[in-house]
Amino acid sequence: MTETKLYIIRHGKTMFNTIGRTQGWSDTPLTTEGEQVIQQLGAGLKAVPFKEAYSSDSGRAMQTARIILQEHTEGEKIPYRTDKRIREWCFGSLDGGYDGELWGVVPRILAFNNYEEMMSKTISYRDLANAIIAADTADWAEPYEKIRERVWSGFEDMAHQREKAGGGNVMAVSHGLTISFLLSLIDDSLPMQMGLDNGSVTTLIYKNGTFTIDKINDVSYIENGKKELEHRNLL
């Protein structure tokens, strides 16, 4: 049987990423720079034989997936669908606000003076989810167990179904905190990975119900794709 491998991609850089606003379930399109980097990523991934492709149902993730598939040599033949389970975390009433609002109030709820002090300590994703709920005045933010169930089942289902079908590579476009959280569910010794780059690729191997982390925040596909596009433009 062929190895089952997930290529989990953080969406391209968006308007809110650029101006420092929290997205969560709110949404903005990719910037021109964001589109360019994802085109480079697509060129770098164009020869990877994907059996299928997924993205969250957020516009920025769907836009990212479409650009990658447009660059892929078999892009028109790769089945693509969306899955709302691999969305970003919901930040409730703080969705759409400046990052400083979210990361100003959450550390204080957890009894830290500021974001830097909070991140220098060991806090759990459960602590983070509970603090977001406490900060949310609209009662929209999700409880930890709900986030855990949807994120795990979303990625585990796509890997399990691919393994049952004979294995192969799966592309999945998701979001920074969601990807970091998934990694923590696989390896709880990892620190909070808040800094995954837009367009970075995190690869996981799946076998008999177990994920193994291969690479985290891999930007080599972007770098290789940039060279490919530069060469193409010279022809």
Side-chain angles (χ1 to χ4, degrees):
M1 181 183 290
T2 305
E3 179 181 74
T4 299
K5 189 172 185 178
L6 298 191
Y7 287 69
I8 304 176
I9 297 161
R10 187 185 175 202
H11 63 80
K13 192 172 187 178
T14 66
M15 290 171 60
F16 271 11
N17 291 151
T18 303
I19 62 175
R21 284 183 178 267
T22 300
Q23 274 181 131
W25 284 10
S26 59
D27 207 20
T28 57
L30 272 57
T31 61
T32 299
E33 177 193 354
E35 290 180 339
Q36 182 181 43
V37 169
I38 297 304
Q39 185 182 17
Q40 293 166 354
L41 173 63
L45 289 169
K46 72 176 187 177
V48 177
F50 290 118
K51 294 291 187 180
E52 54 209 352
Y54 295 84
S55 77
S56 85
D57 60 348
S58 297
R60 60 195 185 273
M62 293 190 289
Q63 186 182 2
T64 298
R66 284 195 296 267
I67 294 170
I68 295 170
L69 293 175
Q70 285 167 3
E71 288 292 325
H72 199 281
T73 54
E74 299 291 326
E76 294 182 357
K77 300 178 182 178
I78 298 170
Y80 164 63
R81 58 186 68 87
T82 62
D83 191 329
K84 66 182 181 181
R85 293 177 296 177
I86 64 171
R87 282 180 184 176
E88 183 58 287
W89 284 33
C90 178
F91 299 106
S93 59
L94 294 167
D95 258 25
Y98 283 103
D99 290 342
E101 296 174 34
L102 175 66
W103 301 119
V105 67
V106 164
R108 292 198 296 273
I109 289 171
L110 294 172
F112 297 108
N113 292 316
N114 51 48
Y115 173 80
E116 288 73 22
E117 182 184 352
M118 180 182 77
M119 294 309 295
S120 71
K121 307 297 182 182
T122 301
I123 68 165
S124 69
Y125 283 94
R126 186 185 295 273
D127 292 336
L128 179 60
N130 289 340
I132 291 169
I133 287 175
D136 174 25
T137 59
D139 197 28
W140 294 336
E142 297 173 288
Y144 173 83
E145 293 299 341
K146 187 173 181 179
I147 302 170
R148 188 186 190 285
E149 167 61 23
R150 74 166 171 86
V151 171
W152 182 259
S153 67
F155 288 105
E156 208 275 339
D157 280 358
M158 66 177 72
H160 179 65
Q161 293 302 319
R162 175 45 33 208
E163 184 180 57
K164 280 176 58 179
N169 301 317
V170 179
M171 182 186 97
V173 181
S174 187
H175 306 264
L177 184 55
T178 295
I179 299 168
S180 300
F181 179 52
L182 173 66
L183 292 172
S184 79
L185 297 177
I186 298 168
D187 182 355
D188 62 8
S189 71
L190 289 173
M192 273 198 178
Q193 305 269 347
M194 294 286 191
L196 295 176
D197 293 334
N198 291 105
S200 64
V201 180
T202 293
T203 46
L204 307 177
I205 309 300
Y206 183 83
K207 185 176 182 180
N208 298 328
T210 300
F211 281 114
T212 302
I213 297 171
D214 178 39
K215 293 181 180 178
I216 298 174
N217 199 40
D218 184 0
V219 296
S220 65
Y221 293 102
I222 297 173
E223 294 163 358
N224 293 337
K226 184 177 180 180
K227 294 174 185 175
E228 161 75 19
L229 292 174
E230 287 172 349
H231 177 70
R232 186 192 305 175
N233 291 334
L234 289 174
L235 297 178

